Each structure stands twice: as C-alpha cells, then as structure tokens.
Amino acid sequence: MKQCILATVVVFSMIAAAFAGAEPAPQPKWMTSPAKELVDKARAATRQATIIDLKAALDGGKDVVVLDVREPNEYEVAHIPGAINVPRGLLEFSIWTVVPNQEQTLYVYCKTGARAALATKQLNELGYKNAIAVDTGGVAWVKAGYPVQTSITDEEIVIMPAQR
C-alpha cells in the first residue's frame, strides 16, 4: 500500500514538473539567439490559437487533430488527452502516415508554443493549410486546470498549479 501511494506521488510530481515546473523557469538560451527570430517569423506567418480556442474546439466536438510536437519522453509524462505525438524533428517524415488528409484541421502544440509555431509553418509548407499553432502550449493548458493524460498510467488527470 505504501509503495502504491509513493508511486502515485512520484508520478504526479513528474507530471507537474513536466508542464508547470515548481520554480519559474529561467529564460531559455534560444530566446537570446537567432532562433528567436525564426520563431517570431513562424508565429507571424501562421495561424495562432489560444488554449481556450483549442479547448472550445475539443468541447464542441469539432473534427480536429491535436498534434503534440514535443519529444516522446515529454509526451509520455503528460499530454493533452487524445493528442498524437509526432516530434518536430520527425514531422516531415511522419505526418503523411499520421494525418494523411491535408485538409484536416490540426492544432499543433508543444510546451510553450515555440516548437508549435515552427512545426505549423513547416506543415503549411507541406500543404497542411488548416494547421494552427497553439501559441501558449501545454504550460498554459495545465495552469488553466484543463485535464492532461499520462502514458505512465494511461489515465486522464488534472494538475492543480501551485498557488503563489
């Protein structure tokens, strides 16, 4: 019984750390590099949506695919329920089998929105004109109190952000 409780606490701690983090994260190094300009250009060139827009589309039963472009280890810890994981680095090679219909509406997300913007720009260039980048990503999803799913236990859970 104690092992089960300990395992549950460890899993929830890992999930919370994967999205929200216990401490405010320092500014990523890419934010002061030429990569920031690439991300800014991708955001300007693509359709952007908020997590509220994504939640409304999901709750409204719209025919959408949620594409998680984070790395598999990030996805396993916590992801938006029903999301399909195609890491950004494999996108061009894998999207054709995962989402063969180029007319499909895709909501693309990552942790903060940067990789989603770059991936959405690439999807648009590949002919997926209904790809939409979620501008704030999984961190904002969790902070809003929306459910996430974990591949560790294959259950849907809600992480409550720490009150500050």
Side-chain angles (χ1 to χ4, degrees), residues 30 34-49 88 113-125 131-135:
W30 71 264
K36 182 179 183 327
E37 185 177 341
L38 287 174
V39 172
D40 290 344
K41 285 181 179 179
R43 283 184 169 142
T46 56
R47 286 177 52 197
Q48 301 285 304
R88 184 175 164 262
R115 287 177 282 182
L118 294 168
T120 301
K121 184 174 185 290
Q122 188 62 34
L123 285 165
N124 290 167
E125 291 175 9
I132 305 165
V134 179
D135 62 359

Side-chain angles (χ1 to χ4, degrees), residues 10-19 70-79 148-153 155 157 159:
V10 169
V11 167
F12 287 124
S13 297
M14 289 172 53
I15 292 169
F19 271 126
R70 297 175 302 147
E71 293 301 309
N73 61 323
E74 295 174 279
Y75 175 85
E76 287 176 6
V77 173
H79 55 270
V148 293
Q149 185 171 359
T150 174
S151 298
I152 297 168
T153 62
E155 293 180 19
I157 59 171
I159 299 171

